Amino acid sequence: DPKVDPRARLRHELRTPLASIRALVETLEAGAIDDPDVSGDFLGRVVSEVDRLTALVDELLDLARLESGRLTLKIEPVAPDVLITAGVERLRPQIERAQLTLTCEIDPTLPRVAADRAARDRGWRRGAERRVRGGAGRHVRTPVIQLSTSRSRS
């Protein structure tokens, strides 16, 4: 059961994008490659699935390094607005090249969070880069990335 067994979850996480890539490529081989709209969409999906696999492998490597002691975390308090603003500015050239718009609404009353600077930067960058690449060069109905923060109502 993937919910209980981490290895089963890992198998599922690896097989899902691989199965998707196979189906997309087989469809292209069967003739969809001749339709520019379909082939462009399918190739974009293949790239997204490869990015998903790459991110999963990167996370597994980080976990292995952490478990082996080769990666240590330096946990420090950080203001969410500083984290988000820095990440947005690093990605601004990619966002503009992809002809996307990024809007941020950051709740200024959010408390500081404990995080490792390198790990949080990697996580932010991976997630945002996937979104930017997903919209680049494709017909996106709403080419806007919306990012907002708020306090949990728990």
Side-chain angles (χ1 to χ4, degrees):
D1 179 19
K3 292 179 183 177
V4 178
D5 181 7
R7 286 176 294 240
R9 194 180 91 240
L10 177 59
R11 282 190 298 274
H12 173 75
E13 291 291 327
L14 288 170
R15 285 182 179 154
T16 300
L18 288 171
S20 177
I21 291 168
R22 174 181 284 270
L24 291 164
V25 169
E26 287 174 351
T27 304
L28 288 168
E29 286 179 331
I33 194 82
D34 297 326
D35 182 330
D37 290 334
V38 172
S39 62
D41 178 53
F42 277 27
L43 291 172
R45 290 184 193 190
V46 168
V47 169
S48 293
E49 293 298 339
V50 169
D51 289 344
R52 184 173 163 192
L53 283 170
T54 301
L56 180 60
V57 169
D58 287 344
E59 289 170 19
L60 289 171
L61 292 173
D62 284 348
L63 181 60
R65 283 190 287 270
L66 188 61
E67 288 177 342
S68 71
R70 292 180 308 180
L71 176 66
T72 55
L73 299 178
K74 182 182 176 197
I75 306 299
E76 59 187 7
V78 62
D81 61 330
V82 171
L83 169 65
I84 293 167
T85 302
V88 167
E89 290 310 310
R90 275 193 307 279
L91 289 170
R92 179 99 29 224
Q94 286 177 273
I95 291 167
E96 290 171 358
R97 257 193 318 276
Q99 298 179 340
L100 298 171
T101 301
L102 174 64
T103 61
C104 293
E105 295 176 19
I106 304 169
D107 182 344
T109 66
L110 289 175
R112 290 179 171 263
V113 295
D116 174 76
R117 179 180 304 273
R120 72 174 184 246
D121 288 348
R122 278 192 307 274
W124 162 260
R125 188 176 58 253
R126 286 177 188 156
E129 284 176 348
R130 281 193 299 271
R131 176 58 182 101
V132 170
R133 278 194 305 267
R138 293 180 40 201
H139 299 286
V140 179
R141 185 178 311 205
T142 308
V144 175
I145 302 170
Q146 294 178 322
L147 179 62
S148 63
T149 64
S150 63
R151 287 186 179 271
S152 173
R153 298 188 197 275
S154 55

